[in-house]
Amino acid sequence: MLRRTTTISDLDAPATLAELLDHHDYLADEGVTTAAYLALKMGRPLFLEGEAGVGKTELAKTLAAILGAPLIRLQCHEGLDAAQALYDWDFPRQLLHLKAAEAAGVADVAALEGEIYGRRFLIARPLLRALETQPSVLLVDEIDRADDEFEAFLLEVLSDFTISVPEIGTIRAATPPVVVLTSNRTREVHDALKRRCLYHWLEHPGFDREVAILRRRLPGCAERLAADVARTAGRMREAGLVKPPGIAETLDWAEALLTLGAVELDPALAAATLGAVLKHREDQETVRARGLLTPDGGRG
């Protein structure tokens, strides 16, 4: 019987990790399972690249669940800087402490300065929290959205898992966190960061695996409906859409259809629920124009 949590040392083969992922309803193929296993055992960050919605973030969440570790997420965006990712000082509390000390007649300025720049006034942002939390899984989500400067800074942190706080000193992770970086490839990430990691490209799931995922995540989903949704989503991914649906969108679509009592996908119901799977007007128009919602997928 599988335990609720495990440790990295308990993992003796990729097959063991695959079983644990399956136990947590993440149906991974051999490639991603092997990449995740090696990253865990070698203590290397795992860099996951692929289209949005293929399960990159979900893999990090599932690894955290397997290890019984908190998931600490750093959501990247343009303009993200070191202060937002590392730490900040709690200025309101520092000010209150100064006022209280003044009211109490404290005259030792040096001691007071040491107090207000102590650890209790330091607000840990994701990177510092990950270094101070054992065990932990650090998810650096959508690193491709961050600037080049932040990439270079992150590479330095991941090289030795230490952070220098001038007022306090160097903070080093007793046990480095499990690190997962994701990218939707809106831009190329520098080779220097990729070299620090183990790399894996996540594809959209094949038909059989997508059907299995739909039925696992939505127990009430009949096999016919799951097959119809997976087959139609596969056609959409081959249609050159602005935003082809990922597994997250097909799950939303199947759930919407289930909510309406569907047991199979008919064209009228597919069209009525299209907003659950396609979020761009142009994509919806393309799908309708090409007849991709008909039983024969527009081939008739």
Coordinates of all heavy atoms in Angstrom, one line a residue, residues 20-110:
L20 N 3.7 6.5 -7.8 CA 3.3 7.6 -6.9 C 2.5 8.7 -7.6 O 1.5 9.3 -7.1 CB 4.5 8.1 -6.1 CG 5.1 7.2 -5.1 CD1 6.5 7.7 -4.8 CD2 4.3 7.1 -3.9
L21 N 3.0 9.1 -8.8 CA 2.3 10.1 -9.5 C 0.9 9.7 -9.9 O -0.1 10.4 -9.8 CB 3.1 10.5 -10.8 CG 4.4 11.2 -10.6 CD1 5.2 11.2 -12.0 CD2 4.2 12.6 -10.2
D22 N 0.8 8.4 -10.3 CA -0.5 7.9 -10.6 C -1.4 7.9 -9.4 O -2.6 8.2 -9.5 CB -0.3 6.4 -11.2 CG -1.6 5.8 -11.6 OD1 -2.0 5.9 -12.7 OD2 -2.3 5.2 -10.7
H23 N -0.9 7.5 -8.2 CA -1.6 7.5 -7.0 C -2.2 8.9 -6.7 O -3.3 9.0 -6.1 CB -0.7 7.1 -5.9 CG -1.4 7.0 -4.5 ND1 -2.4 6.1 -4.3 CD2 -1.2 7.7 -3.4 CE1 -2.8 6.2 -3.0 NE2 -2.1 7.2 -2.5
H24 N -1.5 10.0 -7.1 CA -2.0 11.3 -6.9 C -2.6 11.9 -8.2 O -2.7 13.1 -8.4 CB -0.8 12.2 -6.5 CG -0.3 12.0 -5.1 ND1 0.5 11.0 -4.8 CD2 -0.6 12.7 -4.0 CE1 0.8 11.0 -3.5 NE2 0.1 12.1 -3.0
D25 N -3.1 11.0 -9.1 CA -3.9 11.3 -10.2 C -3.1 12.2 -11.3 O -3.7 12.9 -12.0 CB -5.2 12.1 -9.8 CG -6.1 11.2 -9.0 OD1 -6.1 10.0 -9.2 OD2 -6.9 11.7 -8.2
Y26 N -1.8 12.0 -11.3 CA -1.0 12.6 -12.4 C -0.5 11.5 -13.3 O 0.4 10.7 -12.9 CB 0.2 13.4 -11.8 CG 0.9 14.3 -12.9 CD1 0.5 15.6 -13.0 CD2 1.9 13.7 -13.7 CE1 1.2 16.4 -14.0 CE2 2.5 14.5 -14.7 CZ 2.2 15.8 -14.8 OH 2.8 16.6 -15.8
L27 N -1.1 11.4 -14.5 CA -0.8 10.3 -15.4 C 0.3 10.7 -16.3 O 0.1 11.4 -17.3 CB -2.0 9.9 -16.1 CG -3.2 9.5 -15.3 CD1 -4.4 9.0 -16.2 CD2 -2.9 8.5 -14.2
A28 N 1.6 10.4 -15.9 CA 2.7 10.9 -16.7 C 3.2 9.8 -17.6 O 3.1 8.6 -17.4 CB 3.8 11.2 -15.7
D29 N 3.8 10.3 -18.7 CA 4.5 9.3 -19.6 C 5.9 9.0 -19.1 O 6.4 9.6 -18.2 CB 4.5 9.8 -21.1 CG 5.3 11.2 -21.2 OD1 6.2 11.4 -20.4 OD2 5.0 11.9 -22.2
E30 N 6.6 8.1 -19.8 CA 7.9 7.6 -19.4 C 8.9 8.8 -19.4 O 9.7 8.8 -18.5 CB 8.3 6.5 -20.2 CG 9.6 5.9 -19.8 CD 10.1 4.7 -20.6 OE1 9.4 4.4 -21.6 OE2 11.1 4.1 -20.3
G31 N 8.8 9.6 -20.4 CA 9.8 10.7 -20.5 C 9.8 11.7 -19.3 O 10.8 11.9 -18.7
V32 N 8.6 12.2 -18.9 CA 8.5 13.1 -17.8 C 8.8 12.5 -16.5 O 9.4 13.0 -15.6 CB 7.2 13.9 -17.8 CG1 6.0 13.0 -17.4 CG2 7.2 15.1 -16.9
T33 N 8.4 11.2 -16.4 CA 8.7 10.5 -15.1 C 10.2 10.3 -14.9 O 10.7 10.5 -13.8 CB 8.0 9.1 -15.2 OG1 6.6 9.3 -15.3 CG2 8.2 8.3 -13.9
T34 N 10.9 9.9 -16.0 CA 12.3 9.7 -15.9 C 13.0 11.0 -15.6 O 13.9 11.1 -14.7 CB 12.9 9.1 -17.2 OG1 12.2 7.9 -17.4 CG2 14.4 8.9 -17.1
A35 N 12.6 12.1 -16.2 CA 13.2 13.4 -16.0 C 13.0 13.9 -14.6 O 14.0 14.4 -13.9 CB 12.7 14.4 -17.0
A36 N 11.8 13.7 -14.1 CA 11.5 14.1 -12.7 C 12.3 13.2 -11.7 O 12.9 13.7 -10.7 CB 10.0 14.0 -12.4
Y37 N 12.4 11.9 -12.0 CA 13.1 11.0 -11.1 C 14.6 11.4 -11.0 O 15.2 11.5 -9.9 CB 13.0 9.6 -11.6 CG 13.9 8.6 -10.9 CD1 13.5 8.1 -9.6 CD2 15.1 8.2 -11.4 CE1 14.3 7.2 -9.0 CE2 15.9 7.3 -10.8 CZ 15.5 6.8 -9.5 OH 16.3 5.9 -8.9
L38 N 15.2 11.7 -12.2 CA 16.6 12.0 -12.2 C 16.9 13.4 -11.5 O 17.8 13.5 -10.8 CB 17.1 12.1 -13.6 CG 17.2 10.8 -14.4 CD1 17.6 11.0 -15.8 CD2 18.2 9.9 -13.7
A39 N 16.0 14.3 -11.7 CA 16.1 15.6 -11.0 C 16.1 15.5 -9.5 O 16.9 16.1 -8.8 CB 15.0 16.6 -11.5
L40 N 15.2 14.6 -9.0 CA 15.1 14.4 -7.6 C 16.3 13.7 -7.0 O 16.9 14.1 -6.0 CB 13.8 13.6 -7.3 CG 12.5 14.3 -7.5 CD1 11.3 13.2 -7.3 CD2 12.3 15.4 -6.5
K41 N 16.7 12.7 -7.7 CA 17.9 11.9 -7.2 C 19.2 12.6 -7.3 O 20.1 12.4 -6.5 CB 17.9 10.5 -7.9 CG 16.7 9.6 -7.7 CD 16.5 9.3 -6.3 CE 17.4 8.1 -5.8 NZ 17.0 7.6 -4.5
M42 N 19.3 13.4 -8.4 CA 20.6 14.1 -8.6 C 20.7 15.5 -8.0 O 21.7 16.1 -8.0 CB 20.8 14.3 -10.1 CG 21.0 12.9 -10.9 SD 20.9 13.1 -12.7 CE 22.4 14.2 -13.0
G43 N 19.5 15.9 -7.4 CA 19.5 17.2 -6.7 C 19.6 18.4 -7.7 O 20.2 19.4 -7.4
R44 N 19.1 18.2 -8.9 CA 19.2 19.2 -9.9 C 17.8 19.9 -10.2 O 16.8 19.2 -10.1 CB 19.7 18.6 -11.3 CG 21.1 18.0 -11.2 CD 22.2 19.1 -11.3 NE 22.2 19.7 -12.6 CZ 22.8 19.2 -13.7 NH1 23.4 18.0 -13.6 NH2 22.7 19.8 -14.8
P45 N 17.8 21.1 -10.5 CA 16.5 21.8 -10.9 C 16.0 21.1 -12.2 O 16.7 20.7 -13.0 CB 16.9 23.2 -11.2 CG 18.1 23.4 -10.4 CD 18.9 22.1 -10.5
L46 N 14.6 21.0 -12.3 CA 14.0 20.4 -13.4 C 13.4 21.6 -14.2 O 12.5 22.3 -13.7 CB 12.9 19.4 -13.0 CG 12.1 18.8 -14.1 CD1 13.0 18.0 -15.1 CD2 11.0 17.9 -13.5
F47 N 13.8 21.7 -15.5 CA 13.3 22.8 -16.3 C 12.3 22.1 -17.3 O 12.6 21.3 -18.1 CB 14.4 23.4 -17.1 CG 14.0 24.6 -17.9 CD1 14.4 25.9 -17.4 CD2 13.3 24.6 -19.1 CE1 14.0 27.0 -18.1 CE2 13.0 25.7 -19.8 CZ 13.3 27.0 -19.3
L48 N 11.0 22.5 -17.2 CA 9.9 22.0 -18.0 C 9.5 23.1 -19.0 O 9.1 24.2 -18.6 CB 8.7 21.6 -17.1 CG 9.0 20.5 -16.1 CD1 7.8 20.3 -15.2 CD2 9.4 19.2 -16.8
E49 N 9.5 22.7 -20.2 CA 9.0 23.6 -21.3 C 7.9 23.0 -22.1 O 7.9 21.7 -22.2 CB 10.2 24.0 -22.2 CG 10.1 25.3 -22.9 CD 11.4 25.8 -23.4 OE1 12.2 25.0 -24.0 OE2 11.7 27.0 -23.3
G50 N 7.0 23.8 -22.6 CA 6.0 23.2 -23.4 C 4.8 24.2 -23.5 O 4.8 25.3 -22.9
E51 N 3.8 23.9 -24.3 CA 2.6 24.8 -24.4 C 1.9 24.9 -23.1 O 2.1 24.1 -22.2 CB 1.7 24.2 -25.4 CG 2.2 24.0 -26.8 CD 2.4 25.3 -27.6 OE1 1.8 26.3 -27.1 OE2 3.2 25.3 -28.5
A52 N 1.2 26.0 -22.9 CA 0.4 26.2 -21.7 C -0.6 25.1 -21.6 O -1.2 24.6 -22.6 CB -0.3 27.6 -21.8
G53 N -0.8 24.6 -20.4 CA -1.9 23.6 -20.1 C -1.5 22.2 -20.3 O -2.4 21.3 -20.3
V54 N -0.2 21.9 -20.4 CA 0.2 20.5 -20.7 C 0.6 19.8 -19.4 O 0.9 18.6 -19.4 CB 1.4 20.4 -21.7 CG1 0.9 20.8 -23.0 CG2 2.6 21.2 -21.2
G55 N 0.5 20.5 -18.2 CA 0.8 19.8 -16.9 C 2.1 20.2 -16.3 O 2.5 19.5 -15.3
K56 N 2.7 21.2 -16.7 CA 4.0 21.6 -16.1 C 3.9 22.0 -14.6 O 4.5 21.5 -13.7 CB 4.7 22.7 -16.9 CG 4.9 22.4 -18.3 CD 5.6 23.5 -19.1 CE 4.9 24.8 -19.1 NZ 3.6 24.8 -19.9
T57 N 3.0 22.9 -14.3 CA 2.8 23.4 -13.0 C 2.2 22.3 -12.1 O 2.5 22.1 -11.0 CB 1.8 24.6 -13.0 OG1 2.4 25.7 -13.7 CG2 1.5 25.1 -11.6
E58 N 1.3 21.5 -12.7 CA 0.6 20.4 -12.0 C 1.6 19.4 -11.5 O 1.5 18.8 -10.5 CB -0.4 19.8 -12.9 CG -1.4 18.8 -12.1 CD -2.2 19.5 -11.1 OE1 -2.5 20.7 -11.2 OE2 -2.6 18.8 -10.1
L59 N 2.7 19.2 -12.3 CA 3.7 18.2 -11.9 C 4.4 18.7 -10.7 O 4.7 17.9 -9.7 CB 4.8 18.0 -13.0 CG 5.9 17.1 -12.7 CD1 5.4 15.7 -12.4 CD2 6.9 17.0 -13.9
A60 N 4.7 20.0 -10.6 CA 5.4 20.5 -9.4 C 4.5 20.3 -8.2 O 4.9 19.9 -7.1 CB 5.7 22.0 -9.6
K61 N 3.2 20.6 -8.3 CA 2.2 20.4 -7.2 C 2.1 19.0 -6.8 O 2.1 18.7 -5.6 CB 0.8 20.9 -7.7 CG 0.7 22.4 -7.9 CD -0.7 22.8 -8.4 CE -0.9 24.2 -8.7 NZ -2.2 24.6 -9.2
T62 N 2.2 18.1 -7.8 CA 2.1 16.6 -7.4 C 3.4 16.2 -6.7 O 3.3 15.4 -5.8 CB 1.8 15.8 -8.7 OG1 0.7 16.3 -9.4 CG2 1.6 14.4 -8.4
L63 N 4.5 16.6 -7.1 CA 5.8 16.3 -6.5 C 5.7 16.7 -5.0 O 6.2 16.0 -4.1 CB 7.0 16.8 -7.2 CG 7.3 16.2 -8.6 CD1 8.4 17.0 -9.2 CD2 7.6 14.7 -8.4
A64 N 5.2 17.9 -4.8 CA 5.1 18.4 -3.4 C 4.2 17.6 -2.6 O 4.5 17.3 -1.4 CB 4.6 19.9 -3.4
A65 N 3.1 17.1 -3.2 CA 2.1 16.2 -2.5 C 2.8 14.9 -2.1 O 2.6 14.4 -1.0 CB 0.9 16.0 -3.3
I66 N 3.6 14.4 -3.1 CA 4.3 13.1 -2.9 C 5.3 13.2 -1.7 O 5.4 12.3 -0.9 CB 5.0 12.6 -4.2 CG1 3.9 12.2 -5.2 CG2 6.0 11.5 -3.9 CD1 4.5 11.9 -6.6
L67 N 6.0 14.3 -1.7 CA 7.1 14.5 -0.7 C 6.5 15.0 0.6 O 7.3 15.1 1.6 CB 8.1 15.4 -1.3 CG 8.9 14.9 -2.5 CD1 9.8 16.0 -3.1 CD2 9.7 13.7 -2.2
G68 N 5.2 15.3 0.7 CA 4.7 15.9 1.9 C 5.3 17.3 2.2 O 5.5 17.6 3.4
A69 N 5.7 18.0 1.1 CA 6.4 19.3 1.3 C 5.5 20.4 0.8 O 4.7 20.3 -0.1 CB 7.7 19.3 0.5
P70 N 5.7 21.6 1.4 CA 4.9 22.8 0.9 C 5.4 23.2 -0.5 O 6.6 23.1 -0.8 CB 5.2 23.9 1.9 CG 6.5 23.5 2.6 CD 6.5 22.0 2.6
L71 N 4.5 23.6 -1.3 CA 4.8 24.1 -2.6 C 5.0 25.6 -2.5 O 4.0 26.3 -2.1 CB 3.8 23.8 -3.7 CG 4.0 24.4 -5.1 CD1 5.1 23.6 -5.8 CD2 2.7 24.4 -5.9
I72 N 6.2 26.1 -2.8 CA 6.4 27.6 -2.7 C 6.6 28.1 -4.1 O 7.5 27.7 -4.8 CB 7.7 27.8 -1.9 CG1 7.5 27.3 -0.4 CG2 8.0 29.3 -1.9 CD1 8.8 27.4 0.4
R73 N 5.7 28.9 -4.5 CA 5.5 29.3 -5.9 C 6.0 30.8 -6.1 O 5.6 31.7 -5.4 CB 4.1 29.2 -6.4 CG 3.9 29.6 -7.8 CD 2.4 29.2 -8.2 NE 2.1 29.4 -9.6 CZ 1.0 29.0 -10.2 NH1 0.1 28.3 -9.5 NH2 0.8 29.2 -11.5
L74 N 6.9 30.9 -7.1 CA 7.4 32.2 -7.5 C 6.8 32.4 -8.9 O 7.3 31.8 -9.9 CB 8.9 32.4 -7.5 CG 9.5 33.6 -8.1 CD1 9.0 34.9 -7.3 CD2 11.0 33.6 -8.1
Q75 N 5.8 33.3 -9.1 CA 5.2 33.5 -10.4 C 6.0 34.7 -11.0 O 6.0 35.8 -10.5 CB 3.7 34.0 -10.2 CG 3.0 34.2 -11.5 CD 2.9 33.0 -12.4 OE1 2.5 32.0 -12.0 NE2 3.4 33.1 -13.6
C76 N 6.6 34.4 -12.2 CA 7.4 35.3 -12.8 C 6.6 36.3 -13.7 O 5.5 35.9 -14.2 CB 8.5 34.6 -13.7 SG 9.6 33.6 -12.7
H77 N 7.1 37.5 -13.9 CA 6.4 38.5 -14.7 C 7.4 39.5 -15.1 O 8.5 39.6 -14.5 CB 5.2 39.1 -14.0 CG 5.6 39.8 -12.7 ND1 6.2 41.0 -12.6 CD2 5.5 39.3 -11.4 CE1 6.4 41.3 -11.3 NE2 6.0 40.3 -10.6
E78 N 7.1 40.3 -16.1 CA 8.0 41.3 -16.6 C 8.3 42.3 -15.5 O 7.3 42.8 -14.8 CB 7.4 42.0 -17.8 CG 8.4 43.0 -18.5 CD 7.8 43.7 -19.7 OE1 6.7 43.2 -20.1 OE2 8.4 44.6 -20.2
G79 N 9.5 42.7 -15.2 CA 9.8 43.6 -14.2 C 10.1 43.0 -12.8 O 10.4 43.7 -11.9
L80 N 10.0 41.7 -12.7 CA 10.3 41.0 -11.4 C 11.7 41.2 -11.0 O 12.6 41.1 -11.9 CB 10.0 39.5 -11.6 CG 10.3 38.6 -10.4 CD1 9.3 38.9 -9.2 CD2 10.2 37.1 -10.8
D81 N 11.9 41.7 -9.8 CA 13.3 41.9 -9.4 C 13.6 41.1 -8.1 O 12.8 40.4 -7.6 CB 13.5 43.4 -9.1 CG 12.6 44.0 -8.0 OD1 12.2 43.2 -7.2 OD2 12.4 45.2 -8.0
A82 N 14.9 41.2 -7.7 CA 15.4 40.3 -6.7 C 14.6 40.6 -5.4 O 14.4 39.7 -4.6 CB 16.9 40.6 -6.5
A83 N 14.3 41.8 -5.1 CA 13.6 42.2 -3.8 C 12.3 41.5 -3.7 O 11.9 41.0 -2.7 CB 13.4 43.7 -3.7
Q84 N 11.5 41.4 -4.8 CA 10.2 40.7 -4.8 C 10.4 39.2 -4.7 O 9.5 38.5 -4.2 CB 9.5 41.0 -6.1 CG 9.1 42.5 -6.3 CD 8.6 42.8 -7.7 OE1 9.3 42.6 -8.7 NE2 7.3 43.2 -7.8
A85 N 11.5 38.7 -5.1 CA 11.7 37.2 -5.0 C 12.4 36.8 -3.8 O 12.3 35.6 -3.4 CB 12.5 36.8 -6.3
L86 N 13.2 37.6 -3.2 CA 14.1 37.3 -2.0 C 13.5 37.6 -0.7 O 13.0 36.7 0.1 CB 15.4 37.9 -2.2 CG 16.5 37.3 -3.1 CD1 17.7 38.2 -3.1 CD2 16.8 35.9 -2.6
Y87 N 13.5 38.9 -0.3 CA 13.0 39.3 1.0 C 12.8 40.8 1.0 O 13.2 41.5 0.0 CB 14.1 39.0 2.0 CG 15.4 39.8 1.9 CD1 15.5 41.1 2.5 CD2 16.5 39.3 1.2 CE1 16.7 41.8 2.3 CE2 17.6 40.0 1.0 CZ 17.7 41.2 1.6 OH 18.9 42.0 1.4
D88 N 12.1 41.2 2.0 CA 11.9 42.7 2.2 C 11.8 42.9 3.7 O 11.7 42.0 4.5 CB 10.6 43.1 1.6 CG 10.5 44.6 1.2 OD1 11.5 45.3 1.6 OD2 9.6 45.0 0.6
W89 N 12.1 44.2 4.1 CA 12.0 44.5 5.5 C 10.6 45.0 5.8 O 9.9 45.7 5.0 CB 13.0 45.6 5.8 CG 14.4 45.1 5.8 CD1 15.3 45.4 4.8 CD2 15.0 44.3 6.8 NE1 16.5 44.7 5.1 CE2 16.4 44.1 6.3 CE3 14.6 43.7 8.0 CZ2 17.3 43.3 7.0 CZ3 15.5 42.9 8.7 CH2 16.8 42.7 8.2
D90 N 10.1 44.6 7.0 CA 8.7 45.0 7.4 C 8.8 46.4 8.1 O 8.9 46.5 9.3 CB 8.3 44.0 8.5 CG 6.8 44.1 8.8 OD1 6.2 45.2 8.5 OD2 6.2 43.2 9.3
F91 N 8.8 47.4 7.2 CA 8.9 48.8 7.7 C 7.9 49.2 8.7 O 8.3 49.9 9.7 CB 9.0 49.7 6.5 CG 10.1 49.5 5.6 CD1 10.0 49.1 4.2 CD2 11.4 49.7 6.0 CE1 11.0 48.9 3.4 CE2 12.5 49.5 5.2 CZ 12.3 49.1 3.9
P92 N 6.6 48.9 8.5 CA 5.6 49.3 9.6 C 6.0 48.8 11.0 O 5.9 49.5 12.0 CB 4.3 48.8 9.0 CG 4.5 48.7 7.6 CD 5.9 48.3 7.4
R93 N 6.4 47.5 11.0 CA 6.7 46.9 12.3 C 8.0 47.5 12.9 O 8.2 47.7 14.1 CB 6.9 45.4 12.2 CG 5.5 44.7 12.0 CD 5.7 43.2 12.1 NE 6.2 42.8 13.4 CZ 7.1 41.8 13.6 NH1 7.5 41.1 12.6 NH2 7.5 41.5 14.8
Q94 N 9.0 47.8 12.0 CA 10.2 48.4 12.4 C 9.9 49.8 13.0 O 10.5 50.2 14.1 CB 11.2 48.5 11.2 CG 11.8 47.2 10.8 CD 12.7 47.4 9.6 OE1 12.3 48.1 8.6 NE2 13.9 46.8 9.6
L95 N 9.0 50.5 12.4 CA 8.7 51.9 12.8 C 8.0 51.8 14.2 O 8.3 52.6 15.1 CB 7.8 52.6 11.8 CG 7.4 54.0 12.1 CD1 8.7 54.9 12.3 CD2 6.5 54.6 11.1
L96 N 7.1 50.8 14.4 CA 6.4 50.7 15.6 C 7.4 50.3 16.7 O 7.3 50.8 17.9 CB 5.3 49.6 15.5 CG 4.1 49.9 14.8 CD1 3.2 48.7 14.6 CD2 3.3 51.0 15.5
H97 N 8.4 49.5 16.4 CA 9.4 49.1 17.4 C 10.2 50.3 17.8 O 10.5 50.4 19.0 CB 10.3 48.0 16.8 CG 11.3 47.4 17.7 ND1 10.9 46.5 18.7 CD2 12.6 47.6 17.9 CE1 12.0 46.2 19.4 NE2 13.0 46.9 18.9
L98 N 10.6 51.1 16.8 CA 11.3 52.3 17.1 C 10.5 53.3 18.1 O 11.1 53.8 19.0 CB 11.7 53.1 15.9 CG 12.8 52.5 15.0 CD1 13.0 53.2 13.7 CD2 14.2 52.5 15.8
K99 N 9.3 53.4 17.8 CA 8.4 54.3 18.6 C 8.3 53.8 20.0 O 8.3 54.5 21.0 CB 7.1 54.5 17.9 CG 7.1 55.3 16.7 CD 5.7 55.5 16.1 CE 5.7 56.4 14.9 NZ 4.4 56.6 14.3
A100 N 8.1 52.4 20.1 CA 8.0 51.8 21.4 C 9.3 52.0 22.2 O 9.3 52.3 23.4 CB 7.7 50.3 21.3
A101 N 10.4 51.8 21.5 CA 11.7 52.0 22.2 C 12.0 53.4 22.6 O 12.5 53.7 23.7 CB 12.9 51.6 21.2
E102 N 11.5 54.4 21.8 CA 11.6 55.8 22.1 C 10.8 56.1 23.4 O 11.2 56.8 24.3 CB 11.2 56.6 20.9 CG 11.3 58.1 21.2 CD 10.9 59.0 20.0 OE1 10.4 58.4 19.0 OE2 11.0 60.2 20.1
A103 N 9.6 55.5 23.4 CA 8.7 55.8 24.5 C 9.2 55.2 25.8 O 9.0 55.7 26.9 CB 7.3 55.2 24.2
A104 N 10.0 54.1 25.6 CA 10.6 53.4 26.8 C 11.9 54.0 27.2 O 12.5 53.6 28.2 CB 10.8 51.9 26.5
G105 N 12.4 55.0 26.5 CA 13.6 55.7 26.8 C 14.9 55.0 26.5 O 15.9 55.2 27.1
V106 N 14.8 54.1 25.5 CA 16.0 53.3 25.1 C 17.0 54.3 24.4 O 16.6 55.0 23.5 CB 15.6 52.2 24.1 CG1 16.9 51.5 23.6 CG2 14.7 51.2 24.8
A107 N 18.2 54.3 24.9 CA 19.2 55.2 24.4 C 20.3 54.6 23.6 O 21.1 55.2 23.0 CB 19.8 56.0 25.6
D108 N 20.4 53.2 23.7 CA 21.5 52.5 23.0 C 21.1 52.4 21.5 O 20.4 51.5 21.1 CB 21.7 51.1 23.6 CG 22.9 50.4 23.1 OD1 23.4 50.8 22.0 OD2 23.4 49.5 23.8
V109 N 21.6 53.3 20.7 CA 21.3 53.4 19.3 C 21.8 52.2 18.5 O 21.1 51.6 17.7 CB 21.8 54.7 18.6 CG1 21.5 54.7 17.1 CG2 21.3 55.9 19.3
A110 N 23.0 51.7 18.8 CA 23.6 50.6 18.1 C 22.8 49.3 18.4 O 22.5 48.5 17.5 CB 25.0 50.4 18.5

